């Protein structure tokens, strides 16, 4: 049963054509998010530090924290999501 789930996830990733970079906690990333406003759709940049990676397989997600006007804003993204256009790794970081 587990093999069937893994095969389905792999085939889903291949069909979507999205390859996320290998990043870990502490890295700075840019997440390009598709935002739909009315009938129009645009891509919005969300740049911050990865503070959490959790889950396995299709349920895997990551949390990015950024500072906006002096206030910390966190957002959690599923790894497999049609909302994410692409993810770019900007810098590696170290976590103690």
């Amino acid at each position: 049963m587990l093999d069937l789930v893994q095969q389905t996830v792999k085939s889903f990733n291949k069909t979507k054509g999205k390859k996320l970079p290998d990043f870990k906690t502490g890295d700075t990333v840019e997440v390009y998010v598709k935002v739909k406003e009315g009938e129009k759709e645009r891509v919005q940049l969300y740049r911050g530090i990865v503070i959490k990676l959790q889950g396995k397989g299709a349920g895997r997600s990551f949390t990015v924290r950024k500072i906006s006007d002096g206030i910390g804003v966190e957002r959690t993204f599923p790894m497999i999501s049609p909302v994410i256009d692409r993810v770019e790794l900007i810098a590696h970081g170290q976590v103690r």
Side-chain angles (χ1 to χ4, degrees), residues 1 5 11 23 27 33 37 44 53 57 60 85 95:
M1 181 69 177
V5 172
S11 66
F23 56 87
D27 293 347
V33 183
E37 297 174 338
Q44 183 176 12
L53 291 167
R60 190 153 187 187
D85 186 44
V95 179

Side-chain angles (χ1 to χ4, degrees), residues 4-16:
L4 179 62
V5 172
Q6 290 174 349
Q7 289 175 355
T8 305
V9 170
K10 286 180 183 178
S11 66
F12 181 76
N13 285 339
K14 289 179 184 176
T15 57
K16 294 300 279 184

Side-chain angles (χ1 to χ4, degrees), residues 12-79:
F12 181 76
N13 285 339
K14 289 179 184 176
T15 57
K16 294 300 279 184
K18 294 181 191 176
K19 176 70 174 136
L20 297 180
D22 292 329
F23 56 87
K24 59 182 190 272
T25 305
D27 293 347
T28 302
V29 294
E30 288 183 344
V31 182
Y32 292 86
V33 183
K34 294 179 187 176
V35 178
K36 190 168 187 177
E37 297 174 338
E39 296 179 6
K40 295 183 179 181
E41 186 175 288
R42 64 183 176 88
V43 178
Q44 183 176 12
L45 174 65
Y46 193 89
R47 181 180 181 159
I49 299 172
V50 178
I51 61 168
K52 179 171 55 172
L53 291 167
Q54 73 181 53
K56 291 184 179 180
R60 190 153 187 187
S61 63
F62 62 99
T63 302
V64 179
R65 180 181 175 92
K66 74 174 186 175
I67 304 298
S68 179
D69 293 327
I71 299 172
V73 180
E74 294 178 5
R75 188 164 176 188
T76 302
F77 299 98
M79 288 281 195

